[in-house]
Amino acid sequence: MSATVSPEIGSQIELSQYTLNYHDQGEGEPILLIHGSGPGVTAWANWRGIIPALSRKARVIAPDMLGFGYTKCAPDIALTPDTWVQSLVCLLDALNIDRVSVVGNSFGGAIALALAKACPQRVNRLVLMGAAGINAPISDGLEKVWGYTPSLEAMKGLMEVFAYDHSIITEDLVRMRYEASIRADVQERFARLFPAPRQNGVEMLALTEVDLMSITNKTLLIHGLNDQVIPVEWSERMLRLLPHAELHTYGECGHWVQIERAAQFSQLVSDFLINN
């Protein structure tokens, strides 16, 4: 009997010093989805509720970023915004994609901004959901996320930080994400990404205000008003700095907008990137 292949495993592509695991679904204008930085996260875990809806109208590319999921890279590679941007450019080149709209969640929002800053000719529109990317004091919630030590109790506590509606946090979901966080060398890699003092991680991902003001892409900011990981004030600051931005907020919603407001999120992103 053959082992069941995880839906988190997509296509594999050899790029420079790493092997990227990515999902490529649908046809049409390309949209790149960049996941967040939670323990055990993969592109599929982050975007599984969104990919089917968007891929009916567009080509959706969703990679596991370096240091996460089923993507592989040497442990001595310094993982910085420059490295993550370079890996995405290599992926777009390999897939013969000249320009792409980008949706970034949390950590992924910071990388989306870094990509737009470094390679403006490669980026169409931006969607930033609960995005990092500015210099601000680290929140207690983000400190808890990046400081995660594996246990079922700790994973349940994290999910209660991520979600406003705790009724969606089932025992099966907690166990699934916990097991993902201890698979192979996942925790070892995760612990290296944002070590203490974790304020340094916020600052590493941040663009300067001048850099943000230079990003001219049309940008949709999306934020849950009850986000404990990335405070909504971060998006409000970005709204004032990015020249062509608008902000959409959801009440009674935490950091998991794409899960807690999946249908509304998919429609909002589709209208902004595809139907506009």
Side-chain angles (χ1 to χ4, degrees), residues 4-32:
T4 301
V5 176
S6 169
E8 295 179 305
I9 299 174
S11 300
Q12 306 280 320
I13 189 167
E14 298 282 344
L15 298 171
S16 184
Q17 303 176 68
Y18 31 83
T19 303
L20 281 184
N21 178 66
Y22 70 101
H23 303 270
D24 187 348
Q25 297 188 17
E27 297 179 352
E29 288 297 313
I31 299 173
L32 175 67

PDB file of all heavy atoms in Angstrom, residues 4-32:
ATOM      1  N   THR A   4       0.166   7.925   1.617  1.00  0.00           N
ATOM      2  CA  THR A   4      -0.606   9.058   1.126  1.00  0.00           C
ATOM      3  C   THR A   4       0.299  10.277   1.000  1.00  0.00           C
ATOM      4  O   THR A   4       1.029  10.615   1.931  1.00  0.00           O
ATOM      5  CB  THR A   4      -1.762   9.376   2.091  1.00  0.00           C
ATOM      6  OG1 THR A   4      -2.591   8.227   2.211  1.00  0.00           O
ATOM      7  CG2 THR A   4      -2.584  10.546   1.572  1.00  0.00           C
ATOM      8  N   VAL A   5       0.267  10.923  -0.151  1.00  0.00           N
ATOM      9  CA  VAL A   5       1.087  12.106  -0.372  1.00  0.00           C
ATOM     10  C   VAL A   5       0.366  13.310   0.213  1.00  0.00           C
ATOM     11  O   VAL A   5      -0.816  13.542  -0.039  1.00  0.00           O
ATOM     12  CB  VAL A   5       1.349  12.311  -1.879  1.00  0.00           C
ATOM     13  CG1 VAL A   5       2.133  13.600  -2.102  1.00  0.00           C
ATOM     14  CG2 VAL A   5       2.091  11.127  -2.461  1.00  0.00           C
ATOM     15  N   SER A   6       1.083  14.096   1.011  1.00  0.00           N
ATOM     16  CA  SER A   6       0.487  15.269   1.629  1.00  0.00           C
ATOM     17  C   SER A   6       0.088  16.285   0.570  1.00  0.00           C
ATOM     18  O   SER A   6       0.852  16.551  -0.370  1.00  0.00           O
ATOM     19  CB  SER A   6       1.480  15.908   2.607  1.00  0.00           C
ATOM     20  OG  SER A   6       1.009  17.173   3.026  1.00  0.00           O
ATOM     21  N   PRO A   7      -1.093  16.904   0.687  1.00  0.00           N
ATOM     22  CA  PRO A   7      -1.467  17.961  -0.255  1.00  0.00           C
ATOM     23  C   PRO A   7      -0.557  19.181  -0.148  1.00  0.00           C
ATOM     24  O   PRO A   7      -0.592  20.049  -1.026  1.00  0.00           O
ATOM     25  CB  PRO A   7      -2.902  18.307   0.148  1.00  0.00           C
ATOM     26  CG  PRO A   7      -3.002  17.893   1.583  1.00  0.00           C
ATOM     27  CD  PRO A   7      -2.129  16.673   1.704  1.00  0.00           C
ATOM     28  N   GLU A   8       0.244  19.260   0.926  1.00  0.00           N
ATOM     29  CA  GLU A   8       1.174  20.382   1.078  1.00  0.00           C
ATOM     30  C   GLU A   8       2.349  20.274   0.116  1.00  0.00           C
ATOM     31  O   GLU A   8       3.058  21.261  -0.098  1.00  0.00           O
ATOM     32  CB  GLU A   8       1.671  20.446   2.522  1.00  0.00           C
ATOM     33  CG  GLU A   8       0.577  20.767   3.518  1.00  0.00           C
ATOM     34  CD  GLU A   8       1.065  20.806   4.950  1.00  0.00           C
ATOM     35  OE1 GLU A   8       1.658  19.806   5.404  1.00  0.00           O
ATOM     36  OE2 GLU A   8       0.864  21.832   5.616  1.00  0.00           O
ATOM     37  N   ILE A   9       2.562  19.091  -0.446  1.00  0.00           N
ATOM     38  CA  ILE A   9       3.653  18.885  -1.399  1.00  0.00           C
ATOM     39  C   ILE A   9       3.131  19.131  -2.806  1.00  0.00           C
ATOM     40  O   ILE A   9       2.196  18.474  -3.267  1.00  0.00           O
ATOM     41  CB  ILE A   9       4.238  17.467  -1.290  1.00  0.00           C
ATOM     42  CG1 ILE A   9       4.801  17.241   0.123  1.00  0.00           C
ATOM     43  CG2 ILE A   9       5.328  17.249  -2.330  1.00  0.00           C
ATOM     44  CD1 ILE A   9       5.276  15.828   0.378  1.00  0.00           C
ATOM     45  N   GLY A  10       3.709  20.122  -3.471  1.00  0.00           N
ATOM     46  CA  GLY A  10       3.293  20.453  -4.825  1.00  0.00           C
ATOM     47  C   GLY A  10       4.345  20.039  -5.833  1.00  0.00           C
ATOM     48  O   GLY A  10       4.792  18.891  -5.855  1.00  0.00           O
ATOM     49  N   SER A  11       4.782  20.984  -6.652  1.00  0.00           N
ATOM     50  CA  SER A  11       5.862  20.746  -7.606  1.00  0.00           C
ATOM     51  C   SER A  11       7.188  21.104  -6.947  1.00  0.00           C
ATOM     52  O   SER A  11       7.248  21.922  -6.035  1.00  0.00           O
ATOM     53  CB  SER A  11       5.655  21.588  -8.860  1.00  0.00           C
ATOM     54  OG  SER A  11       4.426  21.278  -9.486  1.00  0.00           O
ATOM     55  N   GLN A  12       8.259  20.493  -7.432  1.00  0.00           N
ATOM     56  CA  GLN A  12       9.598  20.765  -6.915  1.00  0.00           C
ATOM     57  C   GLN A  12      10.449  21.322  -8.053  1.00  0.00           C
ATOM     58  O   GLN A  12      10.407  20.809  -9.177  1.00  0.00           O
ATOM     59  CB  GLN A  12      10.248  19.483  -6.382  1.00  0.00           C
ATOM     60  CG  GLN A  12       9.420  18.743  -5.345  1.00  0.00           C
ATOM     61  CD  GLN A  12       9.539  19.348  -3.964  1.00  0.00           C
ATOM     62  OE1 GLN A  12      10.607  19.759  -3.539  1.00  0.00           O
ATOM     63  NE2 GLN A  12       8.414  19.408  -3.251  1.00  0.00           N
ATOM     64  N   ILE A  13      11.203  22.375  -7.755  1.00  0.00           N
ATOM     65  CA  ILE A  13      12.068  22.956  -8.777  1.00  0.00           C
ATOM     66  C   ILE A  13      13.420  23.298  -8.166  1.00  0.00           C
ATOM     67  O   ILE A  13      13.495  23.849  -7.055  1.00  0.00           O
ATOM     68  CB  ILE A  13      11.408  24.211  -9.405  1.00  0.00           C
ATOM     69  CG1 ILE A  13      12.193  24.703 -10.617  1.00  0.00           C
ATOM     70  CG2 ILE A  13      11.210  25.320  -8.380  1.00  0.00           C
ATOM     71  CD1 ILE A  13      11.436  25.724 -11.452  1.00  0.00           C
ATOM     72  N   GLU A  14      14.488  22.927  -8.855  1.00  0.00           N
ATOM     73  CA  GLU A  14      15.852  23.212  -8.406  1.00  0.00           C
ATOM     74  C   GLU A  14      16.245  24.609  -8.860  1.00  0.00           C
ATOM     75  O   GLU A  14      16.214  24.925 -10.049  1.00  0.00           O
ATOM     76  CB  GLU A  14      16.828  22.188  -8.998  1.00  0.00           C
ATOM     77  CG  GLU A  14      16.576  20.751  -8.592  1.00  0.00           C
ATOM     78  CD  GLU A  14      17.071  20.439  -7.192  1.00  0.00           C
ATOM     79  OE1 GLU A  14      17.879  21.237  -6.656  1.00  0.00           O
ATOM     80  OE2 GLU A  14      16.648  19.410  -6.638  1.00  0.00           O
ATOM     81  N   LEU A  15      16.593  25.460  -7.891  1.00  0.00           N
ATOM     82  CA  LEU A  15      16.977  26.835  -8.183  1.00  0.00           C
ATOM     83  C   LEU A  15      18.222  27.180  -7.388  1.00  0.00           C
ATOM     84  O   LEU A  15      18.188  27.219  -6.160  1.00  0.00           O
ATOM     85  CB  LEU A  15      15.854  27.805  -7.807  1.00  0.00           C
ATOM     86  CG  LEU A  15      14.518  27.660  -8.545  1.00  0.00           C
ATOM     87  CD1 LEU A  15      13.464  28.532  -7.899  1.00  0.00           C
ATOM     88  CD2 LEU A  15      14.676  28.027 -10.012  1.00  0.00           C
ATOM     89  N   SER A  16      19.321  27.419  -8.090  1.00  0.00           N
ATOM     90  CA  SER A  16      20.548  27.837  -7.425  1.00  0.00           C
ATOM     91  C   SER A  16      20.898  26.878  -6.284  1.00  0.00           C
ATOM     92  O   SER A  16      21.097  25.688  -6.520  1.00  0.00           O
ATOM     93  CB  SER A  16      20.403  29.278  -6.924  1.00  0.00           C
ATOM     94  OG  SER A  16      21.594  29.752  -6.350  1.00  0.00           O
ATOM     95  N   GLN A  17      20.891  27.373  -5.043  1.00  0.00           N
ATOM     96  CA  GLN A  17      21.315  26.561  -3.908  1.00  0.00           C
ATOM     97  C   GLN A  17      20.140  25.952  -3.149  1.00  0.00           C
ATOM     98  O   GLN A  17      20.314  25.503  -2.021  1.00  0.00           O
ATOM     99  CB  GLN A  17      22.131  27.418  -2.933  1.00  0.00           C
ATOM    100  CG  GLN A  17      23.346  28.091  -3.559  1.00  0.00           C
ATOM    101  CD  GLN A  17      24.042  29.003  -2.563  1.00  0.00           C
ATOM    102  OE1 GLN A  17      24.622  28.543  -1.585  1.00  0.00           O
ATOM    103  NE2 GLN A  17      23.959  30.301  -2.806  1.00  0.00           N
ATOM    104  N   TYR A  18      18.963  25.915  -3.746  1.00  0.00           N
ATOM    105  CA  TYR A  18      17.816  25.424  -3.014  1.00  0.00           C
ATOM    106  C   TYR A  18      16.822  24.736  -3.936  1.00  0.00           C
ATOM    107  O   TYR A  18      16.888  24.847  -5.158  1.00  0.00           O
ATOM    108  CB  TYR A  18      17.115  26.557  -2.255  1.00  0.00           C
ATOM    109  CG  TYR A  18      17.196  27.917  -2.912  1.00  0.00           C
ATOM    110  CD1 TYR A  18      16.315  28.293  -3.913  1.00  0.00           C
ATOM    111  CD2 TYR A  18      18.196  28.828  -2.536  1.00  0.00           C
ATOM    112  CE1 TYR A  18      16.402  29.536  -4.513  1.00  0.00           C
ATOM    113  CE2 TYR A  18      18.284  30.064  -3.136  1.00  0.00           C
ATOM    114  CZ  TYR A  18      17.397  30.416  -4.126  1.00  0.00           C
ATOM    115  OH  TYR A  18      17.494  31.643  -4.729  1.00  0.00           O
ATOM    116  N   THR A  19      15.922  23.977  -3.325  1.00  0.00           N
ATOM    117  CA  THR A  19      14.832  23.302  -4.029  1.00  0.00           C
ATOM    118  C   THR A  19      13.520  23.839  -3.478  1.00  0.00           C
ATOM    119  O   THR A  19      13.219  23.669  -2.294  1.00  0.00           O
ATOM    120  CB  THR A  19      14.896  21.779  -3.810  1.00  0.00           C
ATOM    121  OG1 THR A  19      16.162  21.290  -4.238  1.00  0.00           O
ATOM    122  CG2 THR A  19      13.782  21.088  -4.598  1.00  0.00           C
ATOM    123  N   LEU A  20      12.759  24.506  -4.329  1.00  0.00           N
ATOM    124  CA  LEU A  20      11.500  25.111  -3.891  1.00  0.00           C
ATOM    125  C   LEU A  20      10.340  24.142  -4.101  1.00  0.00           C
ATOM    126  O   LEU A  20      10.200  23.540  -5.177  1.00  0.00           O
ATOM    127  CB  LEU A  20      11.214  26.390  -4.667  1.00  0.00           C
ATOM    128  CG  LEU A  20      11.937  27.676  -4.255  1.00  0.00           C
ATOM    129  CD1 LEU A  20      11.422  28.839  -5.088  1.00  0.00           C
ATOM    130  CD2 LEU A  20      11.746  27.977  -2.790  1.00  0.00           C
ATOM    131  N   ASN A  21       9.523  24.008  -3.070  1.00  0.00           N
ATOM    132  CA  ASN A  21       8.233  23.337  -3.182  1.00  0.00           C
ATOM    133  C   ASN A  21       7.188  24.417  -3.442  1.00  0.00           C
ATOM    134  O   ASN A  21       7.114  25.408  -2.707  1.00  0.00           O
ATOM    135  CB  ASN A  21       7.921  22.595  -1.880  1.00  0.00           C
ATOM    136  CG  ASN A  21       6.560  21.919  -1.907  1.00  0.00           C
ATOM    137  OD1 ASN A  21       6.341  20.992  -2.678  1.00  0.00           O
ATOM    138  ND2 ASN A  21       5.644  22.385  -1.072  1.00  0.00           N
ATOM    139  N   TYR A  22       6.387  24.240  -4.506  1.00  0.00           N
ATOM    140  CA  TYR A  22       5.414  25.282  -4.825  1.00  0.00           C
ATOM    141  C   TYR A  22       4.178  24.666  -5.469  1.00  0.00           C
ATOM    142  O   TYR A  22       4.210  23.565  -6.015  1.00  0.00           O
ATOM    143  CB  TYR A  22       6.025  26.338  -5.750  1.00  0.00           C
ATOM    144  CG  TYR A  22       6.296  25.850  -7.159  1.00  0.00           C
ATOM    145  CD1 TYR A  22       5.424  26.164  -8.202  1.00  0.00           C
ATOM    146  CD2 TYR A  22       7.405  25.068  -7.455  1.00  0.00           C
ATOM    147  CE1 TYR A  22       5.651  25.725  -9.490  1.00  0.00           C
ATOM    148  CE2 TYR A  22       7.645  24.605  -8.742  1.00  0.00           C
ATOM    149  CZ  TYR A  22       6.772  24.941  -9.753  1.00  0.00           C
ATOM    150  OH  TYR A  22       6.986  24.476 -11.028  1.00  0.00           O
ATOM    151  N   HIS A  23       3.081  25.415  -5.387  1.00  0.00           N
ATOM    152  CA  HIS A  23       1.831  25.024  -6.028  1.00  0.00           C
ATOM    153  C   HIS A  23       1.575  25.975  -7.192  1.00  0.00           C
ATOM    154  O   HIS A  23       1.808  27.182  -7.080  1.00  0.00           O
ATOM    155  CB  HIS A  23       0.688  25.075  -5.014  1.00  0.00           C
ATOM    156  CG  HIS A  23       0.931  24.211  -3.816  1.00  0.00           C
ATOM    157  ND1 HIS A  23       0.530  22.901  -3.753  1.00  0.00           N
ATOM    158  CD2 HIS A  23       1.595  24.468  -2.657  1.00  0.00           C
ATOM    159  CE1 HIS A  23       0.911  22.383  -2.597  1.00  0.00           C
ATOM    160  NE2 HIS A  23       1.557  23.305  -1.918  1.00  0.00           N
ATOM    161  N   ASP A  24       1.094  25.420  -8.292  1.00  0.00           N
ATOM    162  CA  ASP A  24       0.870  26.191  -9.518  1.00  0.00           C
ATOM    163  C   ASP A  24      -0.463  25.723 -10.088  1.00  0.00           C
ATOM    164  O   ASP A  24      -0.560  24.643 -10.668  1.00  0.00           O
ATOM    165  CB  ASP A  24       2.018  25.926 -10.492  1.00  0.00           C
ATOM    166  CG  ASP A  24       1.968  26.806 -11.738  1.00  0.00           C
ATOM    167  OD1 ASP A  24       0.928  27.460 -11.962  1.00  0.00           O
ATOM    168  OD2 ASP A  24       2.962  26.823 -12.486  1.00  0.00           O
ATOM    169  N   GLN A  25      -1.503  26.540  -9.892  1.00  0.00           N
ATOM    170  CA  GLN A  25      -2.839  26.125 -10.293  1.00  0.00           C
ATOM    171  C   GLN A  25      -3.540  27.239 -11.067  1.00  0.00           C
ATOM    172  O   GLN A  25      -3.348  28.420 -10.779  1.00  0.00           O
ATOM    173  CB  GLN A  25      -3.686  25.746  -9.067  1.00  0.00           C
ATOM    174  CG  GLN A  25      -3.150  24.550  -8.296  1.00  0.00           C
ATOM    175  CD  GLN A  25      -4.107  24.092  -7.210  1.00  0.00           C
ATOM    176  OE1 GLN A  25      -5.283  24.433  -7.198  1.00  0.00           O
ATOM    177  NE2 GLN A  25      -3.598  23.304  -6.281  1.00  0.00           N
ATOM    178  N   GLY A  26      -4.350  26.844 -12.032  1.00  0.00           N
ATOM    179  CA  GLY A  26      -5.153  27.789 -12.782  1.00  0.00           C
ATOM    180  C   GLY A  26      -4.433  28.371 -13.985  1.00  0.00           C
ATOM    181  O   GLY A  26      -3.255  28.094 -14.229  1.00  0.00           O
ATOM    182  N   GLU A  27      -5.157  29.197 -14.724  1.00  0.00           N
ATOM    183  CA  GLU A  27      -4.630  29.859 -15.910  1.00  0.00           C
ATOM    184  C   GLU A  27      -5.048  31.320 -15.902  1.00  0.00           C
ATOM    185  O   GLU A  27      -6.056  31.693 -15.302  1.00  0.00           O
ATOM    186  CB  GLU A  27      -5.149  29.184 -17.186  1.00  0.00           C
ATOM    187  CG  GLU A  27      -4.714  27.736 -17.338  1.00  0.00           C
ATOM    188  CD  GLU A  27      -5.269  27.113 -18.606  1.00  0.00           C
ATOM    189  OE1 GLU A  27      -6.100  27.766 -19.274  1.00  0.00           O
ATOM    190  OE2 GLU A  27      -4.877  25.971 -18.917  1.00  0.00           O
ATOM    191  N   GLY A  28      -4.261  32.130 -16.584  1.00  0.00           N
ATOM    192  CA  GLY A  28      -4.584  33.554 -16.683  1.00  0.00           C
ATOM    193  C   GLY A  28      -3.500  34.409 -16.071  1.00  0.00           C
ATOM    194  O   GLY A  28      -2.331  33.999 -15.985  1.00  0.00           O
ATOM    195  N   GLU A  29      -3.884  35.610 -15.653  1.00  0.00           N
ATOM    196  CA  GLU A  29      -2.923  36.515 -15.051  1.00  0.00           C
ATOM    197  C   GLU A  29      -2.338  35.880 -13.788  1.00  0.00           C
ATOM    198  O   GLU A  29      -3.082  35.362 -12.951  1.00  0.00           O
ATOM    199  CB  GLU A  29      -3.586  37.843 -14.704  1.00  0.00           C
ATOM    200  CG  GLU A  29      -3.926  38.702 -15.907  1.00  0.00           C
ATOM    201  CD  GLU A  29      -2.678  39.113 -16.682  1.00  0.00           C
ATOM    202  OE1 GLU A  29      -1.702  39.562 -16.061  1.00  0.00           O
ATOM    203  OE2 GLU A  29      -2.675  38.957 -17.920  1.00  0.00           O
ATOM    204  N   PRO A  30      -1.010  35.927 -13.618  1.00  0.00           N
ATOM    205  CA  PRO A  30      -0.395  35.246 -12.478  1.00  0.00           C
ATOM    206  C   PRO A  30      -0.514  36.033 -11.167  1.00  0.00           C
ATOM    207  O   PRO A  30      -0.389  37.249 -11.144  1.00  0.00           O
ATOM    208  CB  PRO A  30       1.074  35.105 -12.888  1.00  0.00           C
ATOM    209  CG  PRO A  30       1.308  36.244 -13.834  1.00  0.00           C
ATOM    210  CD  PRO A  30       0.003  36.463 -14.547  1.00  0.00           C
ATOM    211  N   ILE A  31      -0.767  35.283 -10.092  1.00  0.00           N
ATOM    212  CA  ILE A  31      -0.813  35.831  -8.741  1.00  0.00           C
ATOM    213  C   ILE A  31       0.117  35.006  -7.869  1.00  0.00           C
ATOM    214  O   ILE A  31       0.008  33.778  -7.819  1.00  0.00           O
ATOM    215  CB  ILE A  31      -2.244  35.787  -8.160  1.00  0.00           C
ATOM    216  CG1 ILE A  31      -3.197  36.623  -9.006  1.00  0.00           C
ATOM    217  CG2 ILE A  31      -2.249  36.278  -6.713  1.00  0.00           C
ATOM    218  CD1 ILE A  31      -4.653  36.497  -8.580  1.00  0.00           C
ATOM    219  N   LEU A  32       1.029  35.665  -7.189  1.00  0.00           N
ATOM    220  CA  LEU A  32       1.977  35.009  -6.289  1.00  0.00           C
ATOM    221  C   LEU A  32       1.491  35.162  -4.859  1.00  0.00           C
ATOM    222  O   LEU A  32       1.248  36.285  -4.396  1.00  0.00           O
ATOM    223  CB  LEU A  32       3.365  35.647  -6.450  1.00  0.00           C
ATOM    224  CG  LEU A  32       4.474  35.167  -5.512  1.00  0.00           C
ATOM    225  CD1 LEU A  32       4.850  33.720  -5.799  1.00  0.00           C
ATOM    226  CD2 LEU A  32       5.709  36.082  -5.644  1.00  0.00           C
TER     227      LEU A  32
END
